[in-house]
Structure formats: structure tokens, C-alpha cells
Amino acid sequence: MSLDYEDRGPLSAIKDYAKFNDLDNFYHMTDQIVGEILADGNPEDEEYDIIHYFSSLNFANLEKFVVEVNNVLGDEIYIEDPDECFDEEYKETFFSVSIIITHPKLDAQAIYDEITKLVSICNEFNVAYDGWGTQFEDEE
């Protein structure tokens, strides 16, 4: 589950990553996502994998970002392999990576704290934070 966010435009248009990576916007998004998860009847005190999404035009910056996130958060995370993507609308190639952090329960404050750390590192390496979501396993 993830919420759609307003069209950010092309990555190449981002001049100020600190301004783009607006913490208040991500805190608000977190409140919405957590509210939707709970409104759907999902338990708060169950384990959740929170998947954070990041993108950059520059692969070297994304690599440095991943190394720093690993240094800061270490054993708490799983970093997926980066992907090379092409944005059809803006005709630009970019790179993306997802970082998964398992939470013992759904706790908005814990997610705020994670976002704060991650966005700080994003701003250091000119990486866009694209938000977060979670996936639910089908019980069959």
C-alpha cells in the first residue's frame, strides 16, 4: 500500500533537495497511510515491512547514499539492488533503490524518525525521497 503523491516533475528540475524532500509533507503522508492501514482493519501491533523509495539521476550519488544509510542504520535494514529506470513522460533516465525496515508494530512516530534520518542523508547526496509503503502477504 502506498499513496499517490502529487506529480513532482522531472528529477532534473530539482534544484534544492532539502526543499523537495519536505519532511512535513512526508509526515502528513505517513499519517494518511497509517490511518488507511488501520481503517482497513489491519492490526497496529503486527509486524510491518516499511519500504522506503529513493531516486537519483546520478548513480554514484545513489551509491554513496546507500553506503551512508547502511552505516547509519546497519542491521536494521535490507537494501534492494538499485534499478535503472526511464521516465517516459520526461524522457530521462534515473536510478532508484528501495530500503526495507521491519517494524515490530505500526508506529507513526517510529516511521517519522526513520524518514527524518533518511531525508537528511538524501539531502547530503542529492537523492529524492519518494515516500514509503508496505505490502501485505496474501493469506491462502
Side-chain angles (χ1 to χ4, degrees):
M1 169 178 279
S2 180
L3 290 180
D4 293 330
Y5 61 98
E6 292 180 14
D7 185 8
R8 68 172 180 206
L11 279 173
S12 57
I14 300 172
K15 303 298 181 220
D16 182 350
Y17 281 85
K19 191 173 184 179
F20 174 82
N21 292 323
D22 178 13
L23 285 173
D24 289 335
N25 181 50
F26 295 125
Y27 297 156
H28 177 71
M29 180 190 74
T30 296
D31 291 338
Q32 287 183 302
I33 294 172
V34 168
E36 286 185 9
I37 291 170
L38 297 176
D40 285 345
N42 296 293
E44 185 175 352
D45 58 350
E46 196 166 284
E47 187 173 275
Y48 287 86
D49 286 339
I50 304 300
I51 308 161
H52 297 275
Y53 303 100
F54 308 90
S55 56
S56 178
L57 290 174
N58 185 305
F59 186 77
N61 286 359
L62 193 65
E63 262 186 327
K64 292 173 188 173
F65 164 79
V66 166
V67 168
E68 184 61 20
V69 168
N70 193 50
N71 289 339
V72 171
L73 298 176
D75 295 336
E76 301 175 34
I77 64 173
Y78 172 76
I79 301 171
E80 294 188 335
D81 291 335
D83 288 318
E84 183 176 347
C85 308
F86 184 74
D87 185 321
E88 289 288 335
E89 183 176 357
Y90 299 111
K91 308 296 185 225
E92 64 185 18
T93 299
F94 67 96
F95 304 93
S96 67
V97 68
S98 301
I99 296 175
I100 302 169
I101 303 174
T102 301
H103 289 252
K105 68 178 190 167
L106 191 60
D107 177 1
Q109 185 59 53
I111 298 169
Y112 297 160
D113 294 345
E114 260 170 34
I115 291 170
T116 301
K117 289 177 191 173
L118 292 167
V119 164
S120 174
I121 301 167
C122 283
N123 295 341
E124 192 177 329
F125 294 102
N126 294 332
V127 171
Y129 179 62
D130 295 323
W132 68 271
T134 190
Q135 295 178 347
F136 297 95
E137 301 275 333
D138 287 338
E139 293 181 27
E140 293 184 31

